[in-house]
Amino acid sequence: MKCCVVTLGCQMNQSDSERIRSVIEGMGFEMVDTEEEASLIGVVACSVRQKAIDKVYSKIRKWNQWKNEKPLVTFVSGCILPADEEKFLKQFDLVFRMNELPDLPDMLHQCGVASEFSAKHPFNDLHREDERTDFWQIDPTYSSDFDAFVPIQNGCDKFCSYCAVPYTRGREVSRASEDILAEVRRLVERGVKAITLLGQNVNSYGLDKKGQEISFAQLLRKVGELGQASGKEFWVYFTSPHPRDMTRDVIEAIADYDCLAKQIHLPLQSGDEKLLRRMNRNHSIEDYLKIVDDIRELLPTATLFTDIIVGFSGETDEQFENSAKVMERVGYNMAYVAKYSPRVGARSARWEDDISPQLKSERLARLSEILKRTSKAHNDAMVGKTYRVLIERVDPRMASALSGRTEGKLPVRVVDAPAELVGTFQEVGITSASELSLTGRLA
Ligand code: SAM
Ligand code: SF4
C-alpha cells in the first residue's frame, strides 16, 4: 500500500501535509514521492494563485484517467474555495477539511481503502475538545530533522478584499498555547535548529479566545524563556504577522531573547493609502512605517521581508509609484511580489480586473529592480564579516559547496565545505555578495 501526497502553496499547507502523512502512515501506507507508484493519491491544494488551482484540476484529470488502468483512490484537502469544493466533490473520491483529519481513516474506509486500523483506530483516543482544533493533537511527520513548522492558528478574520483565505480556511482559531509550547519543547529536545510558528495572522493569536489565552507577545516570551532554559541554540521565526496587530510589545519580546530570530516578514501589499483601504487592510502607510521604525530601533540587525501585490483592481500609475516609494524607503531584504488575480468569493472579484497582464508584468519588474538594489546594498555591507549560518543542504549547483541561511534568512553559499555539516550552525566569513544571495567560507 503506497500513498503520495502532493503539496501546493505555502508553509501552512506543508505543515498540514505533515499531519496528513502521519495519519496515512499510521494506516499502514508507505509514503512515496512519485504519483505513478501510489494507490492512494492526495493533493493539499492552494487557492491563493490561479496557477495552483489550475494545477489541481490538471492533476485530478490525469489521476481519473489512471483509474481505467488500476485501482486508485484520490483525495483533496488544504485551501479550497467553496466554488471549487462542489466541483472537486464530483472529481475526487474524498474532499475533507483539515479539522476533519482525525476522521480521515474512517472516511478512507468508506471510500473502500483497507488499512491496518481496526474499527478502533488510534485517533479515537484523541482528547476531542474542539472540532476546529483537535487535528493539531496529531503528531506531524516532520519533513526535516532540523527545520520544523509549528502551527499556532488556523483561518483568518481579516477579510482583505483580494484574499481567498477566510473562505478556504474559515474563521480564525488559535491553538492552545500549552500545546504549542509542548511541541516547541519536544522539537528543541530533539535538537531542531529552526522553528517557524505559522498562522495567517500570527499576531492576532489568542484574540479569538477573548481573554482565555495569552497574547502573541506573551507566547513569544514563553518560547524565549523555554529557549533560555534549554541551553540549546535554535532560531524561532513566525509568519505572517499583520501590520494592524503588530504592537511594540511583539518587537520588544523579540529583542529580549536570543532564540527569537531577528527577521520580520511584514506584508505591505500596497504603498498607497487609498488602495490599502480598498484592500481592507485597516492600517495606514504611516502606521506601517512606524512599525518599521520601531523594528529598526529595537532590532537594529533585523532583516525585513514583505509581500506586495501589483496590478490590484484600479491601481493607477500614481498608486503603483507609491508602492515603489515605500519599497525604496524601507529597503527590504526580500519581497514576494505577486501580480493581482481575482479570487472567486473574495470581495474584489466583483471589481474589474482592469490592469493588463503586460502592465502587471512591468510593475512587477520595476519592484523587482528596487528589491535587487536594496537587497544588494544590505548584502554588500556584510562582506568581510562573519555570520552564523544554519547549513541546510548540499548546494544543488555546486557539489563541493553547501547552502544555508543566516539568522535573518539570507541565503548563503558556503564553498569548500563537507556535506556532514548539513543541519548544523557554522561560523561563515562572507567573501562576496550578489543581489539576492551571499557567498562565504567556513571561518
Ligand atoms: N496573511 C498574510 C497577510 O496578511 O499579508 C498573507 C497570506 S496570503 C495567503 C499570502 C500572499 O499572497 C499575500 O501576502 C498576498 O501578497 C498574496 N495574495 C493573496 N491573494 C492574492 C490575490 N488575489 N492576487 C495576488 N496575490 C495574492
Ligand atoms: Fe488573506 Fe488578509 Fe487574512 Fe492575510 S490577513 S490571510 S491577506 S485575508
Side-chain angles (χ1 to χ4, degrees):
M1 298 205 305
K2 292 183 178 173
C3 171
C4 176
V5 177
V6 178
T7 310
L8 305 174
C10 67
Q11 292 157 320
M12 185 61 101
N13 282 8
Q14 289 174 39
S15 168
D16 287 346
S17 286
E18 293 180 344
R19 282 182 164 74
I20 293 174
R21 284 202 180 99
S22 288
V23 175
I24 293 175
E25 277 175 355
M27 292 175 70
F29 277 85
E30 179 194 342
M31 301 307 294
V32 290
D33 292 331
T34 40
E35 297 162 25
E36 287 79 359
E37 277 182 84
S39 58
L40 174 64
I41 314 185
V43 57
V44 181
C46 164
S47 295
V48 171
R49 310 237 154 146
Q50 188 57 43
K51 253 193 200 154
I53 299 177
D54 295 345
K55 200 160 181 184
V56 177
Y57 282 108
S58 89
K59 290 227 173 259
I60 189 58
R61 264 198 304 277
K62 181 174 72 176
W63 297 340
N64 280 336
Q65 278 167 8
W66 291 357
K67 284 186 173 177
N68 298 325
E69 292 146 33
K70 62 170 187 178
L72 180 64
V73 173
T74 58
F75 68 81
V76 58
S77 188
C79 277
I80 305 171
L81 279 166
D84 287 316
E85 188 166 4
E86 280 180 31
K87 294 182 208 154
F88 287 167
L89 280 165
K90 293 188 192 124
Q91 291 170 298
F92 285 87
D93 296 305
L94 178 62
V95 181
F96 68 94
R97 297 205 166 249
M98 272 308 288
N99 64 332
E100 297 174 300
L101 185 61
D103 298 317
L104 181 60
D106 292 336
M107 293 188 283
L108 285 174
H109 281 167
Q110 282 163 22
C111 296
V113 174
S115 84
E116 286 171 8
F117 283 163
S118 61
K120 185 180 181 328
H121 62 71
F123 302 114
N124 286 343
D125 295 334
L126 281 186
H127 181 53
R128 302 229 182 172
E129 242 174 22
D130 182 338
E131 62 178 27
R132 299 169 307 163
T133 57
D134 291 338
F135 73 99
W136 279 320
Q137 291 179 47
I138 296 168
D139 284 336
T141 304
Y142 298 106
S143 325
S144 157
D145 292 336
F146 56 87
D147 192 354
F149 299 126
V150 175
I152 69 165
Q153 176 198 57
N154 193 24
C156 182
D157 285 349
K158 290 279 191 281
F159 290 92
C160 299
S161 60
Y162 52 82
C163 186
V165 171
Y167 310 98
T168 61
R169 286 194 169 263
R171 304 305 294 263
E172 216 163 279
V173 48
S174 299
R175 184 181 181 190
S177 54
E178 63 264 33
D179 291 355
I180 298 168
L181 292 164
E183 188 174 350
V184 171
R185 194 172 296 111
R186 279 197 303 275
L187 288 165
V188 172
E189 279 163 8
R190 273 196 205 179
V192 163
K193 304 288 190 296
I195 295 172
T196 305
L197 307 178
L198 289 180
Q200 297 301 341
N201 267 307
V202 283
N203 47 352
S204 64
Y205 174 81
L207 296 182
D208 57 304
K209 295 286 190 317
K210 304 197 166 33
Q212 304 299 304
E213 189 48 277
I214 57 176
S215 70
F216 183 59
Q218 288 166 326
L219 180 70
L220 284 181
R221 284 192 179 276
K222 283 188 182 283
V223 172
E225 277 154 26
L226 189 158
Q228 276 177 345
S230 74
K232 302 216 180 174
E233 183 179 13
F234 60 100
W235 290 333
V236 178
Y237 300 89
F238 55 84
T239 192
S240 294
H242 193 295
R244 171 90 199 273
D245 301 316
M246 194 64 173
T247 44
R248 199 172 152 96
D249 60 351
V250 171
I251 305 168
E252 285 167 348
I254 301 168
D256 284 347
Y257 297 92
D258 286 345
C259 71
L260 302 182
K262 311 303 180 252
Q263 184 267 353
I264 307 232
H265 186 115
L266 192 65
L268 172 67
Q269 311 301 3
S270 168
D272 182 78
E273 296 289 1
K274 192 167 164 210
L275 228 57
L276 271 189
R277 277 201 298 280
R278 291 187 67 230
M279 287 177 163
N280 197 32
R281 293 293 285 175
N282 277 307
H283 65 81
S284 65
I285 300 298
E286 195 186 339
D287 297 335
Y288 185 94
L289 293 175
K290 168 82 175 73
I291 300 166
V292 171
D293 291 344
D294 284 350
I295 293 170
R296 298 285 188 226
E297 176 201 334
L298 296 172
L299 307 172
T301 60
T303 54
L304 258 176
F305 290 24
T306 198
D307 290 348
I308 300 186
I309 296 175
V310 290
F312 184 60
S313 169
E315 185 185 64
T316 63
D317 286 342
E318 195 189 338
Q319 288 172 331
F320 166 72
E321 285 306 326
N322 286 335
S323 290
K325 273 185 206 152
V326 175
M327 271 197 83
E328 297 271 11
R329 149 84 158 80
V330 175
Y332 295 102
N333 298 85
M334 186 61 202
Y336 300 93
V337 185
K339 292 184 222 171
Y340 170 67
S341 70
R343 299 272 59 89
V344 180
R347 186 141 51 97
S348 71
R350 288 180 250 140
W351 307 335
E352 201 184 340
D353 180 18
D354 52 357
I355 308 300
S356 71
Q358 194 199 339
L359 191 52
K360 284 179 187 169
S361 298
E362 283 169 24
R363 289 179 178 176
L364 185 140
R366 261 287 303 293
L367 296 193
S368 301
E369 279 309 309
I370 298 173
L371 170 68
K372 284 182 194 163
R373 200 160 15 84
T374 56
S375 155
K376 176 85 167 48
H378 290 299
N379 291 352
D380 281 345
M382 295 171 75
V383 176
K385 297 182 188 150
T386 298
Y387 289 86
R388 213 141 170 78
V389 171
L390 174 58
I391 307 290
E392 294 178 313
R393 61 181 73 84
V394 172
D395 193 304
R397 282 161 301 161
M398 198 191 274
S400 62
L402 303 176
S403 62
R405 63 178 192 221
T406 63
E407 178 180 346
K409 273 200 177 167
L410 302 180
V412 185
R413 171 182 280 171
V414 187
V415 296
D416 294 333
E420 52 268 27
L421 296 184
V422 170
T424 65
F425 286 112
Q426 296 297 325
E427 291 288 315
V428 175
I430 304 299
T431 51
S432 66
S434 68
E435 285 165 345
L436 295 172
S437 68
L438 299 149
T439 301
R441 288 183 174 277
L442 294 175

